[in-house]
Amino acid sequence: EGAKVALQERRRSFGQVTLELPSGIRTLEQYCIPVIAADGTITTLLFVYNDVTAHQKKNEEIEQLKHRSEIIVQQNPMPIILVDKGFHIRVVNEAYVGLTGIPRKDLLNMTLHDFRILNQSGEGLKQVISAKRRSAGEVTVEFPSGVRRMQQYGIPITDAHGEVGSILIVYNDITDD
């Protein structure tokens, strides 16, 4: 939208413009407000600009980081899952799908409690939440693909306040070792 909308529809309009200025290319939010006289005519258009260049660049950087993180997890040859504090599975990579023999869509509707754990040693994942630090252990689980003995590493993912919101779990299949 722009000044044309403000003039024709007699209402405030909003748009975004990109300008090349001596200081560089800037992205601005543009607000156009029609000033209406007592007789109903538009006497003036008031333009207000807000420079959103830095905000837009920051959002682009955040999106790039999200994309990069997604690639790191999804393309990693190590089986990786992300669970919330209730141990509901939120993200799985292809290596984990292959390890378990369970389709991704089914895994995303499961919790870690749904798996049959045959043996467990070392630090457990509950410690990741309580101690807010990485854990390491070994776990033997029965999957549709077979019984797997794995090293398990739990990494706390904290929020801005230092609270654990989720756990990134990386597995190393040592069944044949």
Side-chain angles (χ1 to χ4, degrees):
E1 299 181 338
K4 187 175 181 180
V5 169
L7 284 170
Q8 290 177 345
E9 298 181 18
R10 305 169 60 83
R11 66 174 178 86
R12 182 176 59 174
S13 65
F14 168 80
Q16 197 171 64
V17 295
T18 302
L19 302 172
E20 186 172 346
L21 302 171
S23 63
I25 296 175
R26 310 301 286 180
T27 302
L28 308 173
E29 290 178 335
Q30 174 187 279
Y31 299 88
C32 182
I33 304 162
V35 177
I36 302 173
D39 66 358
T41 60
I42 296 175
T43 60
T44 310
L45 291 176
L46 175 64
F47 288 89
V48 177
Y49 292 94
N50 183 27
D51 187 349
V52 294
T53 305
H55 180 72
Q56 187 177 30
K57 282 183 182 178
K58 190 170 283 194
N59 283 344
E60 288 171 4
E61 289 171 2
I62 289 169
E63 287 304 314
Q64 286 175 344
L65 287 172
K66 284 181 184 178
H67 180 69
R68 188 178 311 153
S69 296
E70 186 71 18
I71 288 172
I72 290 169
V73 169
Q74 292 303 325
Q75 299 299 316
N76 201 305
M78 302 296 289
I80 297 174
I81 63 173
L82 181 75
V83 298
D84 63 19
K85 290 193 319 186
F87 299 109
H88 295 91
I89 299 172
R90 299 295 178 214
V91 175
V92 299
N93 71 354
E94 197 57 40
Y96 190 80
V97 171
L99 173 78
T100 65
I102 302 171
R104 180 185 306 268
K105 66 178 179 55
D106 294 340
L107 285 166
L108 295 175
N109 290 313
M110 297 174 70
T111 72
L112 294 184
H113 303 294
D114 294 328
F115 296 105
R116 184 161 180 245
I117 298 172
L118 304 176
N119 191 22
Q120 186 172 356
S121 63
E123 303 166 321
L125 295 173
K126 288 182 182 177
Q127 178 180 301
V128 175
I129 296 169
S130 61
K132 300 178 185 177
R133 67 176 182 84
R134 188 179 67 159
S135 72
E138 193 173 294
V139 63
T140 303
V141 181
E142 184 179 341
F143 295 120
S145 64
V147 174
R148 299 281 186 230
R149 189 171 135 243
M150 303 169 291
Q151 294 171 327
Q152 173 182 271
Y153 302 94
I155 303 163
I157 307 297
T158 56
D159 61 19
H161 305 291
E163 296 301 315
V164 176
S166 55
I167 304 169
L168 182 72
I169 307 167
V170 179
Y171 292 97
N172 182 25
D173 186 1
I174 56 172
T175 303
D176 297 328
D177 291 354

